[in-house]
Amino acid sequence: MKKKAVRIQDLSFSYPDKSAALDRISFSVSSGESLGIIGPNGAGKSTALLHLNGVLKGKGEVRILGEKVHKGNLKWVRSRVGIVFQDPNDQLFMPTVFDDVAFGLLNLGWEKEEVQNRVQRVLKNLGLEGVQDRNPSHLSFGEKKKISLATVLVLEPEILVLDEPTANLDPGSRRNFLEILEGIPKTKIMATHDLDSVWQLCSRVLLMNKGKVIAQGESREILEDEKLLEQNNLEVPHRLLLEKKE
Amino acid sequence: MNSVSSFRKQGKNFFQRLDPRVKIITFTVFILFIGLTPPGDFYKFLAYLFLLGVFFTLSSVPFKRWVSRLALIFPLLAFIGLSVILFKQDPQWTRGEILWNLGVKTVLIFMSVLLLVLSTGFYRLVKGLELLKVPSLVISVVTFAYRYSFLLSQEAESMRKAKLSRSFGRRKKTQEVKTLMHMVPHLFFRTFERSERIYAAMLSRGFDRKVKTLILFRMKTEDWIFGFLFFLALGLIRGML
């Protein structure tokens, strides 16, 4: 049986205005597995993701690589769980691309030479060699998205978490980004409305709505269930519809 | 944002490369000297201005850049002037004397702070403050205020474009003021929400409120020489003029 990379048990969370965002959700992700978390707007997907690295703390248990997340091990958790945020403008806040990608490494206390080597390596792997001295705000959205990914990959986390990874990307950039993600052999958790990308990348799916887990199972089982998806403001991914027609 | 702020850039010339601790200490003393100089010592103010001119030249900060930043002081000077004209009560000083005293000191102090920030870079400056054992709470407030100011201007620009897209020709001043009054709280709320998301992103990459850079700050001979010459110059100005 594969080791659990992530285990969430009876997690509930309410925002300061008392609105319940999560209501006793439970799920787990095995090492090396890709899980797609789907659901309509306001389902609690992003809220759930922010519990994985301790940015939010609700009632219930969150375990990362077997360790319960608590105040004392947040630095370790955040080095193991890398979150790519939905809007790259929220993730890129330094004067240059190099600084943004190096930010996490510096916080973890890496030495200067290792920081420079790792930053250059990850930028090269993502085809971003020429932009390291540029101001991120001057780059295209697609480039910013890749740099956001770089800021997390450079830390070599074991678990990669992505919040709406393909949002606002043009078709070409989306295709390119998904190819990159497909090539990353890590445990992946992806919260998204883009069900075609879930179909492409994820072996398992978790459907959420109004802070609750509605269904979870193999991707095909959930994504083919037209009635279930429509009840939750979603629809069968186009790729699956095309496959069915063939 | 200033490219000198980068974690690894040392600065283009010796003035930019000076240890930030030396610059913070020398400029803090300089500002104190300016503040404590009696208003009648006109030649001292002239000497301070000359010293600032020399440093601006050495710093290689583009002229256009610091002039545009200097323009920010005019609203403050106008406010000071208005306050003095309307509320002056001290019988010992005339309005003119108070205006001169406050005005010249405000301009010189503002120029000093501007020079310090533009020639050092924000992150080097904040690292300097941290190395000088300034309380971490103060540093956190400074860094967040700095980031917040950029967010505020970005959100303001975004709202301005949205407003223009739905504005058709000139409107009455009262209507404009009313719209602005509605937009301002909204602007701060949006900026606050965005700053929360950015803070979450920073925490997610291990941010622990400490300033980390790739540059190792060590006092060099040129730092000591600069400090010595700076205090010598101040001493000469004080003694001779």
Side-chain angles (χ1 to χ4, degrees):
Chain A
M1 197 165 109
K2 274 191 170 179
K3 187 180 160 190
K4 296 294 179 196
V6 174
R7 184 179 222 113
I8 286 187
Q9 196 73 37
D10 290 328
L11 181 64
S12 296
F13 179 79
S14 295
Y15 281 104
D17 66 355
K18 309 285 185 228
S19 55
L22 297 175
D23 185 3
R24 293 172 62 90
I25 65 165
S26 298
F27 66 90
S28 61
V29 186
S30 300
S31 287
E33 191 177 33
S34 292
L35 175 76
I37 301 181
I38 64 173
N41 294 334
K45 305 186 294 295
S46 302
T47 306
L49 295 188
L50 288 175
H51 281 83
L52 296 177
N53 68 351
V55 168
L56 293 179
K57 176 143 178 48
K59 285 185 194 156
E61 194 175 88
V62 178
R63 282 187 182 269
I64 299 296
L65 302 169
E67 292 294 321
K68 189 174 171 184
V69 175
H70 59 85
K71 211 173 168 181
N73 66 359
L74 286 180
K75 201 161 185 173
W76 175 83
V77 168
R78 287 165 187 171
S79 70
R80 307 314 336 132
V81 177
I83 298 189
V84 180
F85 285 68
Q86 178 175 344
D87 187 350
N89 292 313
D90 292 341
Q91 191 138 9
L92 305 175
F93 41 73
M94 298 303 291
T96 67
V97 169
F98 182 96
D99 293 342
D100 256 313
V101 180
F103 182 81
L105 291 173
L106 288 172
N107 287 331
L108 288 175
W110 286 87
E111 294 296 317
K112 180 178 175 176
E113 207 179 306
E114 187 62 21
V115 169
Q116 287 180 321
N117 289 341
R118 287 177 96 165
V119 169
Q120 268 145 18
R121 192 166 59 234
V122 83
L123 288 177
K124 189 180 173 190
N125 289 343
L126 292 174
L128 295 165
E129 298 101 309
V131 301
Q132 65 176 8
D133 288 325
R134 290 188 60 190
N135 189 322
S137 60
H138 296 163
L139 300 173
S140 71
F141 193 87
E143 283 171 322
K144 284 185 200 175
K145 203 78 183 185
K146 280 164 89 172
I147 293 162
S148 293
L149 182 61
T151 64
V152 166
L153 288 180
V154 78
L155 301 170
E156 295 180 5
E158 283 170 57
I159 301 162
L160 186 60
V161 178
L162 305 121
D163 193 357
E164 300 287 354
T166 59
N168 296 319
L169 287 176
D170 62 53
S173 303
R174 178 186 169 279
R175 204 164 41 244
N176 181 236
F177 198 75
L178 288 176
E179 272 167 17
I180 292 169
L181 291 180
E182 221 167 1
I184 298 172
K186 291 183 190 291
T187 306
K188 289 192 279 284
I189 301 173
M190 201 162 86
T192 183
H193 293 131
D194 180 357
L195 301 193
D196 281 287
S197 64
V198 172
W199 177 242
Q200 183 178 340
L201 294 179
C202 304
S203 53
R204 277 184 59 238
V205 165
L206 182 88
L207 170 62
M208 285 182 69
N209 198 351
K210 292 182 182 154
K212 292 184 171 62
V213 172
I214 306 299
Q216 52 182 310
E218 299 293 315
S219 294
R220 187 174 278 277
E221 181 196 336
I222 305 289
L223 295 178
E224 269 185 347
D225 192 338
E226 202 172 328
K227 193 177 172 189
L228 175 69
L229 292 175
E230 277 181 10
Q231 279 171 352
N232 292 281
N233 249 27
L234 299 170
E235 49 190 36
V236 176
H238 295 124
R239 286 179 77 162
L240 202 48
L241 283 173
L242 284 170
E243 268 184 31
K244 277 181 162 181
K245 276 186 185 167
E246 282 161 16
Chain B
M1 288 188 224
N2 188 350
S3 63
V4 179
S5 302
S6 172
F7 284 145
R8 58 189 180 141
K9 284 205 175 136
Q10 293 269 22
K12 284 185 270 189
N13 57 34
F14 105 91
F15 192 83
Q16 288 187 14
R17 282 194 299 267
L18 284 171
D19 193 291
R21 290 169 288 187
V22 169
K23 283 162 103 171
I24 290 167
I25 291 170
T26 50
F27 275 80
T28 303
V29 171
F30 185 50
I31 286 166
L32 279 170
F33 264 64
I34 294 169
L36 295 172
T37 300
D41 282 354
F42 175 76
Y43 290 106
K44 280 201 175 89
F45 291 124
L46 213 57
Y48 296 146
L49 189 65
F50 175 75
L51 203 57
L52 280 170
V54 167
F55 292 143
F56 267 113
T57 310
L58 289 173
S59 70
S60 305
V61 172
F63 182 76
K64 218 173 160 180
R65 198 141 166 236
W66 73 261
V67 163
S68 66
R69 300 290 196 279
L70 201 56
L72 293 172
I73 203 179
F74 291 117
L76 178 62
L77 287 175
F79 177 76
I80 290 170
L82 206 62
S83 305
V84 170
I85 291 164
L86 293 174
F87 301 113
K88 180 256 173 194
Q89 290 193 7
D90 191 337
Q92 196 184 351
W93 305 92
T94 65
R95 278 196 173 84
E97 283 165 340
I98 296 172
L99 276 171
W100 161 254
N101 187 37
L102 289 175
V104 73
K105 286 177 180 177
T106 304
V107 170
L108 287 173
I109 289 170
F110 190 83
M111 283 174 73
S112 308
V113 171
L114 200 61
L115 175 63
L116 180 63
V117 172
L118 289 178
S119 68
T120 312
F122 181 76
Y123 290 104
R124 286 169 57 86
L125 209 54
V126 169
K127 188 66 187 176
L129 289 173
E130 193 183 80
L131 291 170
L132 287 170
K133 308 288 184 212
V134 170
S136 61
L137 183 62
V138 172
I139 292 172
S140 292
V141 169
V142 167
T143 49
F144 283 113
Y146 178 72
R147 285 185 217 280
Y148 192 82
S149 66
F150 284 99
L151 294 184
L152 197 66
S153 70
Q154 282 172 15
E155 291 297 317
E157 180 57 21
S158 168
M159 287 175 79
R160 187 189 74 87
K161 283 178 188 165
K163 178 182 168 288
L164 272 178
S165 305
R166 278 142 61 196
S167 297
F168 310 99
R170 293 177 75 89
R171 297 165 74 212
K172 287 183 192 168
K173 283 273 181 279
T174 46
Q175 275 180 313
E176 285 291 325
V177 168
K178 201 175 171 185
T179 306
L180 210 60
M181 280 173 63
H182 286 300
M183 284 174 76
V184 166
H186 205 62
L187 169 65
F188 280 100
F189 186 68
R190 270 171 64 150
T191 311
F192 174 74
E193 282 200 321
R194 191 162 161 219
S195 69
E196 291 273 284
R197 293 196 300 271
I198 291 176
Y199 185 60
M202 290 168 74
L203 285 177
S204 301
R205 275 142 70 194
F207 179 65
D208 57 2
R209 293 188 182 183
K210 292 196 178 70
V211 182
K212 308 269 168 65
T213 66
L214 284 174
I215 306 161
L216 279 172
F217 291 100
R218 276 198 201 104
M219 293 287 284
K220 303 175 288 297
T221 310
E222 58 194 39
D223 298 314
W224 294 108
I225 293 172
F226 174 80
F228 172 74
L229 290 173
F230 190 93
F231 286 119
L232 184 67
L234 283 185
L236 286 170
I237 291 170
R238 197 164 163 74
M240 288 169 62
L241 296 175

